[in-house]
Amino acid sequence: MHSVEEQIARLERTVVDLIDRRELRERLEAAHRDGRKLRVKLGMDPTGYHIHLGHTVVLRKLRAFQDLGHQAVLIIGDATAMIGDPSGRDKTRPVLTREAVEEYAQGWLEQVRKVLDVDALEVRRNSEFYEGMSFPDVVRLCGRMTVAQMLERNDFSERYRGGNPISLHEFLYPLMQGWDSVCVDADVELGGTDQLFNLHVGRAFQEAEGRTPQIVMTTPIVEGTDGVQKMSKSYDNAIGIDEPADEIFGKLMSIPDTMMEKYFVHFTSLPDDEIATILGGHPRDAKMRLGVEIVSWLHDSSAAEAAKARFIEVFAKRNVPDEMPSHRVDPGPVGIRELIRTVGFAKSGGEAKRLIQQGAVTWDGDKISDPDASVDVTGSHVLKVGKRRFCRVHCGE
């Protein structure tokens, strides 16, 4: 058994909000004394097909609780997903169908195997808590919070002040997330920093039910490969955990150097002193190590070393810069002139044609001489136009 101090030290790492440390200590001490496991809740709404590295920050925290012997409870938010989480949003999310949510949920459950011990995982769908509710039950749940309390949320208050509509059903989201905590008797709830308000609702609801309020722990929202926006498929800066090894490695090699420490801390299990030593060396070597660590985790060490070797062969030996813009296309053949235009290296197909005829265009280091040629996009590739314009073209998420 790990001591309470050892558990706290491990669990506090990378946490932003902890409400609060004294309560966490008391809960861990009581669990140790009584020989029971803490029930640690994480809710995830399946709103798309893929889980990306950004999602794994909080998933890794849930795994840390599992490794310390506690009970992880994963809430598949099939009911909340159909409402749409308003956290951090400046407009109402589109409503998803039940069929779409279930399809996404099945994909997510398969992907979380890369992070969680699914054999020891308690999986619940929150539709089981709400489908049997009567309308009076919903009204009573709504009566537990005021409109003024809801408008304390930054996203709601900003939308209200800006005259942007807030649909009434969006107010139900934090109520449902909070009631989940009552239904599963959570000792701890995890979430990103954008979930802090919702996690507090869970505490309030538990206390109103005469129960000990849950501990709240939030983890950071990590930027994507551009180093600016939060990681998201919609920003074209995400690294999907089910992508091919070469694709993951190539994307990691494209991140700004300033993001390396954050990626090492949140996406690897290396100790802080070793991370500091790695970052003290050459940036390219550090980024190569980062790629190997993450691909080894998501695939295996042999796939990681093979991806590294292929990257060196295609990219490094042809003097390609580490950092460059990226552009996603569907897999398969694409016309080179149209590609040059869509990535912004030419204003028209005619200009792209002239660049090709001048010998200024290469694809993975090979010169393109036919303006009507197509290139085959199968993974991660480098388009170069002129001496200094590079773009990583890929077909991953």
Side-chain angles (χ1 to χ4, degrees), residues 337 340-342 344-352 354-355 389:
R337 275 193 292 171
I340 294 169
R341 189 189 64 79
T342 56
F345 289 167
K347 294 180 180 180
S348 66
E351 181 182 351
R354 287 192 296 275
L355 289 167
R389 289 188 292 178

Side-chain angles (χ1 to χ4, degrees), residues 250-311:
K251 287 184 178 182
L252 289 168
M253 290 301 295
S254 75
I255 67 171
D257 291 352
T258 54
M259 290 299 299
M260 279 197 290
E261 181 175 8
K262 189 173 288 189
Y263 276 44
F264 267 115
V265 169
H266 294 296
F267 303 139
T268 80
S269 299
L270 297 176
D272 291 343
D273 56 349
E274 186 171 353
I275 292 173
T277 299
I278 294 169
L279 293 174
H282 192 282
R284 172 167 287 193
D285 294 339
K287 209 171 287 185
M288 289 276 190
R289 176 67 182 276
L290 177 66
V292 168
E293 290 290 332
I294 294 177
V295 175
S296 295
W297 161 40
L298 297 176
H299 289 274
D300 55 50
S301 57
S302 61
E305 291 298 335
K308 176 183 175 181
R310 284 189 288 268
F311 182 90

